[in-house]
């Protein structure tokens, strides 16, 4: 039964029949309400710890629907609905649009910012404390997943509430 369960779920993901919603707080205020980002994602050859939007020849097809939920004076609360599932897809697509995720140490900042973060982490310093200007983590949250239950074959949605530390940044 477990093997059948897994293979059924795997087929749903492969067939793009699983619908996912991520919530994020981003820098900036998009001029659009909804926007499809379609761009292949591949390894950034200049910075091998990152991915970037690239050509189809260099990367793999990726598509994300970005929906602005609320504009918050220099920030935006968005919902991202990835159609594909590439590594760092939402982070890369939002940075590509010019709206990087708040608290993301890797995307949307100069290399020096990330290298400083890594140096502090290697030195044993605390890197997960909120400051007045930065949260302790990237404000990206896997909020909802909808799929056909492998046993009952009923379409079901599972939702995770927004974590408290994320909520604090939305309200401030």
């Amino acid at each position: 039964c477990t093997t059948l369960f897994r293979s059924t779920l795997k087929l749903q993901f492969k067939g793009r029949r699983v619908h996912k919603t991520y919530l994020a707080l981003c820098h900036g205020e998009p001029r659009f309400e909804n926007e499809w980002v379609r761009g292949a994602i591949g390894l950034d050859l200049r910075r091998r710890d990152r991915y970037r939007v690239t050509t189809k020849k260099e990367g793999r097809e990726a598509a994300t629907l970005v929906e602005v939920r609320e504009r918050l004076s220099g920030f935006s609360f968005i919902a991202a609905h990835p159609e594909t599932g590439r590594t760092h897809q939402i982070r890369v697509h939002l940075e590509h649009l010019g709206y990087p995720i708040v608290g993301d140490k890797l995307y949307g900042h100069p290399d020096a910012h990330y290298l400083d973060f890594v140096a502090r982490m290697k030195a044993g310093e605390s890197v997960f404390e909120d400051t007045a200007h930065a949260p302790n983590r990237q404000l990206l949250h896997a909020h909802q997943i909808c799929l056909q239950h492998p046993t009952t074959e009923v379409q079901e949605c599972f939702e995770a509430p927004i974590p408290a530390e994320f909520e604090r940044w939305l309200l401030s």
Side-chain angles (χ1 to χ4, degrees), residues 19-31:
H19 302 284
K20 300 162 281 197
T21 301
Y22 291 79
L23 301 176
L25 184 64
C26 299
H27 291 281
E29 297 179 49
R31 295 182 184 186

Side-chain angles (χ1 to χ4, degrees), residues 60-161:
R60 295 179 66 198
E61 169 195 358
T64 307
L65 175 62
V66 177
E67 167 195 349
V68 178
R69 294 262 174 109
E70 191 174 348
R71 289 175 175 77
L72 304 161
S73 185
F75 299 93
S76 293
F77 180 49
I78 65 104
H81 309 279
E83 185 177 90
T84 52
R86 306 291 175 241
T87 303
H88 297 190
Q89 176 174 324
I90 295 167
R91 296 165 70 191
V92 170
H93 276 170
L94 287 170
E95 181 191 39
H96 179 72
L97 285 175
Y99 308 108
I101 297 170
V102 172
D104 192 333
K105 307 281 188 288
L106 191 56
Y107 296 97
H109 293 285
D111 288 346
H113 185 268
Y114 176 67
L115 295 173
D116 177 58
F117 167 78
V118 171
R120 286 184 290 127
M121 190 168 54
K122 285 183 177 179
E125 296 175 27
S126 177
V127 293
F128 296 107
E129 294 177 4
D130 275 346
T131 68
H133 304 289
N136 63 1
R137 67 177 187 90
Q138 64 187 7
L139 297 183
L140 175 65
H141 171 64
H143 180 61
Q144 184 182 70
I145 188 166
C146 298
L147 50 85
Q148 183 179 21
H149 191 283
T151 307
T152 65
E153 297 183 356
V154 173
Q155 186 75 11
E156 294 194 41
C157 293
F158 303 92
E159 210 169 273

